[in-house]
Each structure stands twice: as C-alpha cells, then as structure tokens.
Amino acid sequence: MKAIIPAAGLGTRFLPATKCSPKELLPVLGKPVMQYVVEEALEPAGVDEVVIVNSHEKPQIERYFERDEALEAYLEAHGKTREAEAIRAAGELPVSYVYQDEALGLGHAVLCASEKMDGDPFFVLLGDYFVPERQMNVRMAEVSAAHGGASVIAVAPVPADQVSRYGIIAGECIGSVDGTPVGEEEPGAVWHVTGLVEKPPVETAPSHLFIVGRYLLSPRIMELLETQEPGAGGEIQLTDAMQRLLAEEEMYALVVDRAEGCDTGTPAGWAATNARMALADDSVRAAFLEELGDVTLG
Ligand code: G1P
C-alpha cells in the first residue's frame, strides 16, 4: 500500500525564503519538514512506499532523499557517526516521484500519482502539517478496517470564522473509535460522512468539522478524479471527487485533536512548530530555552 504527498506547490506563503529552496525542505530542528511527513506516512502497517508529487522546479527534494555515499564516508572518517547515520537514514526512505507541473489543484495532484497506486486504497498526507507521534493514520486505518475497508478522513472542529478556508463535512456521529463514549466533536468520535464541500461560506456550511489533510481513500477516487471539473478557486478539488464517491461508497471521518500535529504552512506556524519540537526534545530543550533568553510573553 502506498501514500501520496503532494509537494508541487510554489510555497508562496513562505516567499522570499522559498524562492530557491522548496518549502518542503524547511528545517524543523535539524530535519526537513518533508522527512517528518514521509516517516509519518510509513507508520501504518502495510504502507511501504511514499509517492511524492513533485514539480520539475524542485529537484532539491529528490536530492535530499538520495544516498550520498561520499558524504557518508567523509562524516564517518571524521568521527561524525550520528550525522552519517542521519543522512543515510534519509537516503534509504522508500520514496518515489511523479510530477505535477501545473498548479491545477489538490485533486489533480493526487491524480498524477494514479498509476503508482496499483488499484489499491492509499493514504494522502498534506505536507503543511505533520504528526510527531505518527498515530493519526494508524487510527484511521483501524476505523477503515472496522467498516469493511471504507475511505476515512481525519477531521477537527474549526472556529466559525475559518470554516470558509477548508473542506467541511456533513454527516452524523456513529460512536467512537474504541467504543468509549465521547462527545460528537471530540477526538476519537467517528462520523458517517454524507456530504463534503470545499471552502463553503460559513452560513451554508453543513458542520464546523474540517478536513485536516489526512485521507485514506478508495482507489475508485482516481477514476472519479479523471473526470472531475474544477471547483472552488478554479481548481480540481479532491473534496469534490470525494463528494461524488459518496454516491457509490461509504465514507467515515475520525475526529482528531488538531494539536496532535504541527503546522508548518505559514512562517508563524513553522516558527511555533520549531519551538514546540525544541521544548519536547530532551537533547535540545535546555539549550533552546537558554538561547531564547528572557522573552516576555503576552
Ligand atoms: C486543502 C483541502 C481542504 C483541506 C485543507 C487542509 O485545502 O482542499 O479540503 O481542509 O487542505 O489544510 P488548501 O489548504 O489546499 O486550500
């Protein structure tokens, strides 16, 4: 089974930093954002390859995930074993590439990876967000298994003033992932999805549960994407093809705590993610706090 990570975007929210360096390679502590997402993608049992939807403008991503035996040997020879192991590990991750050279939308990006999916279900992970504990997709796979292999998406409550920025679901709560009682919009709640709409005005939105960017999808979605017309923003939307999928197949949503993951989609989110990861890392925390000095919050 494979996972798709769309990565062909221009990174306009991070200009000028992304003029020459892909936003996917921005570091969080010492590691590029993309590597966190790739490692998360490989966590559920059965996922053995990550297909990155790249553009030809960003060869640096591919270089990063290649082995560099000369550099490894140099580092080893200079006693930098830990660093040598780190770059070897990045070079051994099972990634492959397809290309999207026109920004036609998320649905189009996913469709670009169609031939690599072998007609199997697959995950999609949006790369502006990563889950350090890597368990979100694992729980989604459990929900799917409990419902005959149906498609499952992760959703979370969003404040009313942000509803129109996201994909929003309609449906009803049918219980929880492990049978324990939870509120309808609390983490662990499972919804039967009856509708999906991309970037609706808040007045007509069917709920305040938004798609956070983790999907486990039926292979049928690829066939639907082939005929998907552009939607919100003039883009071919994955959400619109999923809405059409509902006419044929069941779909479920798992409510997650959005704070389980880290946002890297904007400079502010990325900076906060670095702070959060530094505070969570025993080998970095003390030095980070010392460098930060006497910052007054509020
Ligand atoms: C995309 C999806 C949207 C989802 C969002 C999560 O939108 O189309 O359904 O809620 O990611 O970040 P974008 O952020 O590309 O506009």
Side-chain angles (χ1 to χ4, degrees), residues 183-219:
E184 290 198 338
E185 295 194 355
E186 284 177 17
V190 176
W191 285 54
H192 181 231
V193 179
T194 54
L196 299 118
V197 50
E198 184 66 21
K199 298 183 174 55
V202 65
E203 301 77 33
T204 58
S207 77
H208 287 190
L209 287 175
F210 85 104
I211 305 169
V212 304
R214 294 291 178 272
Y215 310 76
L216 171 51
L217 294 173
S218 153

Side-chain angles (χ1 to χ4, degrees), residues 20-185:
C20 307
S21 332
K23 70 170 180 180
E24 290 78 12
L25 297 185
L26 287 167
V28 170
L29 299 187
K31 207 159 79 171
V33 167
M34 189 62 152
Q35 189 171 347
Y36 289 92
V37 186
V38 168
E39 289 168 348
E40 181 190 340
L42 291 165
E43 187 74 14
V47 180
D48 54 11
E49 185 180 328
V50 177
V51 179
I52 295 174
V53 184
N54 199 5
S55 88
H56 285 101
E57 302 297 315
K58 301 203 275 190
Q60 302 97 318
I61 294 179
E62 294 170 43
R63 227 183 127 207
Y64 179 77
F65 287 110
E66 274 165 15
R67 286 289 296 273
D68 185 341
E69 286 170 11
L71 179 57
E72 286 169 29
Y74 174 87
L75 292 168
E76 294 279 8
H78 289 77
K80 295 188 181 296
T81 312
R82 201 176 52 82
E83 290 81 355
E85 276 168 12
I87 67 155
R88 184 179 307 118
E92 286 178 340
L93 289 166
V95 293
S96 65
Y97 303 91
V98 295
Y99 297 93
Q100 183 196 26
D101 284 321
E102 276 181 293
L104 297 179
L106 176 60
H108 177 255
V110 169
L111 179 61
C112 288
S114 175
E115 288 194 357
K116 290 212 166 218
M117 294 304 112
D118 307 324
D120 292 331
F122 57 90
F123 284 97
V124 178
L125 293 89
L126 304 190
D128 285 350
Y129 175 84
F130 70 87
V131 180
E133 300 294 331
R134 307 176 187 168
Q135 292 305 301
M136 197 179 284
N137 285 3
V138 174
R139 295 199 308 278
M140 288 162 59
E142 285 167 14
V143 174
S144 176
H147 293 280
S151 297
V152 177
I153 53 176
V155 297
V158 65
D161 64 347
Q162 293 174 32
V163 160
S164 62
R165 290 192 212 165
Y166 295 106
I168 301 291
I169 67 159
E172 55 172 344
C173 182
I174 57 164
S176 75
V177 67
D178 58 6
T180 55
V182 288
E184 290 198 338
E185 295 194 355

